[in-house]
Amino acid sequence: MTAESAKPPASRRTFLAGTGAAAAGTAAAALLGGPLAGTARAAGPVCPPGQFAPVPKRALGPPVNADGYFVGQIKGDLYWVTDSFYTAMFLTTRDGVVLVDAPPTIGHNLLRAIGAVTQANGRPSQVTHLVYSHSHADHIGASVLFGPDVVRIGHSECRTLVLRDDDPNGPPPEVTFDEHFTLTVGGETLLLDFHGPNHTPDNIFIRAPAQQTLMLVDVIFPGWVPFKELAVSQDIPDWIKAQDVALSLPWQTLVAGHLGRLGTRDDAELQIAYVADLVASARATMASLNPAPIFQEFGNNAWAIFKVYLDAASAQTAAPVTAKYLGKLAAADVFTFDNAFEVFEFVLRVDGGVLDPFGIHP
């Protein structure tokens, strides 16, 4: 059977050059036209239209096999599997297999990967436990393949969200916890911890202490910039904090849930630097971007004013960060604009209270 796959359409935006009052006016005009359009000055795209910068080789993982997956040993009885878009992790024990996440794009290849490994190491191939990192269907939507008898485990909020979503391909976890849970099966242990909301209200940290491995999904993206709008996370300040929480824990290998390779502590530190640069650039943009021409241009069209201001701010924030990380992080040219918007709008404005020019009226 062919594994179900879903790939979101790519999107591009043109970065706008310049800083300060003049840039605000020209950015606004370039985006929506009007009397200022004749003086608009836009930076050229990072790549020719319809193309993106090459992916650095160090961002890529091992090639997949003829069935469309790669399975590899992390350490001891801990393994990982990827289709180059998603990753899952599994632990083979004398009493069966503990699987963490069941991405539908990998689908039946999870069974093939587990079968190949257990045939080689002589461990039972039956998946007895399935841990959910969080409730999103792109990470647990093949859970149904493991039948009704597997013990599904997740955060208590994960059960609430999965029940709400009512997806027959992702049955809810029966075993739940609020803060900490130690799962021991066949002499092997996983530590499940909740450090507060980040990507979702239920996203957990999964550690295999004997193998010095952390699985943390949708927070750190080894070798790549974060997915669009900081992984479309629901709590941006705590998503940023989760990166630091990850580095505070003892591990050497990261299973990130996405893309095609394992991560390292250096990968986490590089992403933290990328996000910190976005925050610094957003603060500089807030201080230098003059909104007056935008208000003058669009009058009483409140949504147009917000759109043009936020798009101009995102473009100005993103430009230096994109330039700095091209060649260092894959897709710096693809999602940095969207990530800049998220930082500007939520880290500074909505959650940070830096609302200028929409702050307290004098």
Side-chain angles (χ1 to χ4, degrees), residues 162-177:
V162 172
L163 284 170
R164 178 204 65 186
D165 296 340
D166 195 24
D167 178 4
N169 292 322
E174 301 91 355
V175 177
T176 63
F177 66 97

Side-chain angles (χ1 to χ4, degrees), residues 61-79:
V64 299
N65 63 18
D67 287 323
Y69 73 91
F70 170 85
V71 61
Q73 184 181 38
I74 298 174
K75 184 178 180 181
D77 291 313
L78 186 67
Y79 297 83

Side-chain angles (χ1 to χ4, degrees), residues 47-333:
C47 305
Q51 299 181 26
F52 295 111
V55 174
K57 288 184 178 179
R58 64 179 172 273
L60 298 173
V64 299
N65 63 18
D67 287 323
Y69 73 91
F70 170 85
V71 61
Q73 184 181 38
I74 298 174
K75 184 178 180 181
D77 291 313
L78 186 67
Y79 297 83
W80 70 296
V81 57
T82 182
D83 61 355
S84 295
F85 294 95
Y86 286 82
T87 57
M89 181 175 80
F90 63 93
L91 190 59
T92 62
T93 83
R94 61 175 180 260
D95 294 335
V97 174
V98 179
L99 175 64
V100 185
D101 280 356
T105 66
I106 305 178
H108 284 80
N109 279 334
L110 290 167
L111 298 169
R112 296 184 183 100
I114 291 168
V117 166
T118 54
Q119 183 178 7
N121 70 12
R123 292 290 179 95
S125 62
Q126 180 68 36
V127 175
T128 60
H129 296 76
L130 174 51
V131 176
Y132 287 178
S133 65
H134 64 296
S135 64
H136 283 171
D138 62 327
H139 292 279
I140 66 169
S143 174
V144 68
L145 299 180
F146 300 93
D149 295 329
V150 66
V151 178
R152 294 175 172 86
I153 304 167
H155 189 263
S156 55
E157 185 66 14
C158 178
R159 177 174 172 83
T160 299
L161 294 170
V162 172
L163 284 170
R164 178 204 65 186
D165 296 340
D166 195 24
D167 178 4
N169 292 322
E174 301 91 355
V175 177
T176 63
F177 66 97
D178 290 328
E179 294 183 359
H180 309 289
F181 187 90
T182 299
L183 174 63
T184 300
V185 179
E188 301 285 351
T189 296
L190 292 179
L191 304 178
L192 315 181
D193 295 294
F194 180 67
H195 292 285
N198 47 78
H199 172 64
T200 60
D202 63 325
N203 200 31
I204 62 173
F205 294 64
I206 303 114
R207 281 197 297 130
Q211 294 82 10
Q212 296 180 295
T213 297
L214 169 69
M215 184 166 177
L216 177 61
V217 175
D218 284 319
V219 173
I220 297 168
F221 297 79
W224 296 69
V225 301
F227 183 72
K228 183 181 177 72
E229 295 174 355
L230 299 182
V232 290
S233 297
Q234 297 178 35
D235 188 324
I236 299 303
D238 279 338
W239 179 90
I240 292 174
K241 178 183 174 183
Q243 301 173 112
D244 295 321
V245 172
L247 272 184
S248 74
L249 299 172
W251 57 271
Q252 296 302 318
T253 303
L254 175 71
V255 181
H258 277 283
L259 304 166
R261 74 164 173 86
L262 298 172
T264 66
R265 298 184 74 86
D266 286 345
D267 289 319
E269 289 173 353
L270 183 58
Q271 181 176 300
I272 287 171
Y274 168 85
V275 174
D277 283 342
L278 278 175
V279 173
S281 185
R283 292 190 185 281
T285 295
M286 178 72 81
S288 63
L289 187 61
N290 179 8
I294 299 173
F295 280 87
Q296 294 166 6
E297 178 74 23
F298 301 107
N300 62 0
N301 190 337
W303 276 178
I305 290 170
F306 268 99
K307 173 178 173 53
V308 174
Y309 175 72
L310 292 173
D311 281 357
S314 301
Q316 185 172 313
T317 297
V321 181
T322 302
K324 180 176 179 178
Y325 287 92
L326 273 177
K328 295 180 182 179
L329 287 174
D333 58 321

Side-chain angles (χ1 to χ4, degrees), residues 26 29-30 33-41:
T26 57
L36 296 175
T39 61
R41 181 169 61 91

